[in-house]
Amino acid sequence: MQPKVYFIDDHQISLDKIDEHAHYVISTLRRAGHKAYLVGGGVRDLLLKQRPKDFDVSTSAKPEEVKALFRGSLLIGRRFRLVHVRFGKKIIEVSTFRAGEATSDLIVRDNIWGNEEEDVLRRDFTINGLFYDPDAQTVIDYVGGYLDLEKRILRTIGEPKMRFSQDPVRMIRLVKFCARFDLNIDHDTLAALLSCKGEILKSASARVLEEVLRMLESGSAKPFFHLMHEYGLLQSLMPDLADYFTSNPDNEALALLCEADAAVRKESLDRSILIAALLFPLFRHRLLLRAQQNPRHFHLGTVQEEALSAVDELFGPFLLLPRRLSSMAAAILTSQFRIQPLDDRPLKNPRPPREYTFPLALKLFKFRTAIQPDLLPFYAIWAEASYDQNLPPPEYEQRRKRRRRRPRYDSNPMHGT
Ligand code: ATP
Ligand code: MG
């Protein structure tokens, strides 16, 4: 099939918006006689006039051939082999054109090489199936993604029911793009989502978890969780949270995520505080019920025990948080009741604990003051005490840096999860 080609007068992507390292990777591959293009989310974001998070390259060169061209590059993935070309901290991901499987089963093999057209046909949504050629400055479209972007429509490439059954994580990705770019879902794609939503539990839990955590830190967590509930995916993944959303449509968890979204747009936040923001109102509800049942034995130690089990129970049972993350989220939830004690005892001379999660707990408390201004005096007292103690301690800073250096294993189905 002949692709539709769009020139600079149409797409208006100026060359200086293309990452210089991605451009260098493409030029090097081409000089060695291979085909190479920018592909996927980067092209989509440029057309939407947004700054791409990452630039991915698709090429006719096999992974070993790519590796041989770039010193220090790494072959990664077993199920979906690709090459990470590294420039300091930056990574350009280079994948070889491959063909998808036309059967309706779950994808089992991903390293069947193909041509450009086959490579886009295996991708998820039309808006993610565009190539950009930086030499000719053209956008190459085999799937109608360019016009869909203009019309702001999200549509699967291929028959939507089959595409969701092959890889149910695509349903979460659909909600993610809908939330992030405020797009409309095509009629057939939406019908397929509603009929396949239960199949989400067939996917690898780790891949779903990664998409959910990435959305928490995306700056669009509020619309994402709202839509996850509206389209019925939350009901399968986090049933307790979904029940709470159903009985409280304008709920406090969404309001807290709105605060977190605004904060994340200014500075990166640890995933633990975002998890705590999502779970806090439901956790408090649970805790108050327990406290009513057994008022005499309620102290911070009890809150901590409750928090540890609540995080795993409310986030699960399908999604399993890494131990470090769930215990940090539990500590942040517990500290909410240190900052404002359950028995409303007046605070005299508060002493912030030297726990590395405490500054995050205070930040979550600050989000809560935007929804409940009568909490402000509590926040003010603890913020001042923390300032006097010169928190956060260096340990917290170190942990944050370590997390950022972790290589990105995203939810690409093919990343051998
Ligand atoms: P983001 O901006 O969140 O990174 P993205 O679209 O770039 O969004 P990635 O996970 O980086 O998402 O994937 C890069 C590309 O790989 C996508 O644009 C899409 O073409 C393809 N892709 C990713 N996940 C899938 C999937 N589950 N099924 C088919 N194609 C996928
Ligand atoms: Mg991407």
Side-chain angles (χ1 to χ4, degrees), residues 90-293:
K90 190 195 293 169
I91 289 172
I92 304 293
E93 200 167 277
V94 183
S95 61
T96 304
F97 297 147
R98 59 196 84 204
E101 295 204 354
T103 70
S104 59
D105 296 335
L106 283 171
I107 297 172
V108 286
R109 278 197 59 198
D110 288 302
N111 288 319
I112 304 164
W113 310 131
N115 59 26
E116 299 89 312
E117 185 178 355
E118 288 167 317
D119 190 71
V120 285
L121 292 182
R122 70 170 177 91
R123 291 175 182 273
D124 49 4
F125 302 105
T126 60
I127 61 168
N128 290 341
L130 298 166
F131 287 126
Y132 178 76
D133 176 339
D135 293 339
Q137 295 191 53
T138 49
V139 171
I140 301 160
D141 183 4
Y142 288 92
V143 289
Y146 188 94
L147 290 182
D148 278 349
L149 258 186
E150 260 185 6
K151 289 186 276 177
R152 304 192 67 80
I153 290 182
L154 254 173
R155 187 195 313 269
T156 54
I157 294 173
E159 205 282 305
K161 265 194 183 172
M162 185 178 91
R163 305 294 283 153
F164 289 148
S165 301
Q166 274 179 337
D167 179 8
V169 174
R170 289 177 184 145
M171 294 189 279
I172 308 250
R173 289 177 54 83
L174 178 84
V175 176
K176 143 173 152 168
F177 296 123
C178 200
R180 204 200 289 170
F181 304 120
D182 194 21
L183 302 174
N184 301 307
I185 304 178
D186 149 72
H187 177 269
D188 292 349
T189 301
L190 181 58
L193 169 71
L194 297 177
S195 87
C196 299
K197 60 190 181 211
E199 292 183 36
I200 192 63
L201 298 182
K202 288 187 191 164
S203 32
S205 158
R207 283 185 55 215
V208 178
L209 178 68
E210 188 54 27
E211 285 288 3
V212 168
L213 294 178
R214 276 167 66 175
M215 276 319 282
L216 271 173
E217 54 191 1
S218 69
S220 305
K222 180 191 172 190
F224 175 73
F225 277 92
H226 172 72
L227 293 173
M228 285 288 285
H229 176 253
E230 189 167 313
Y231 295 134
L233 289 164
L234 199 65
Q235 285 76 342
S236 299
L237 291 180
M238 301 181 189
D240 287 339
L241 198 66
D243 286 347
Y244 161 71
F245 273 42
T246 307
S247 36
N248 307 278
D250 280 324
N251 65 66
E252 196 184 331
L254 288 175
L256 286 175
L257 288 183
C258 191
E259 294 302 312
D261 282 344
V264 157
R265 285 189 215 112
K266 291 190 217 125
E267 51 167 345
S268 72
L269 283 185
D270 195 274
R271 288 174 165 187
S272 56
I273 180 180
L274 300 164
I275 293 167
L278 175 69
L279 301 184
F280 174 72
L282 195 51
F283 170 63
R284 183 187 48 202
H285 178 69
R286 225 169 106 131
L287 194 70
L288 294 181
L289 280 182
R290 301 269 158 93
Q292 271 169 14
Q293 288 158 2

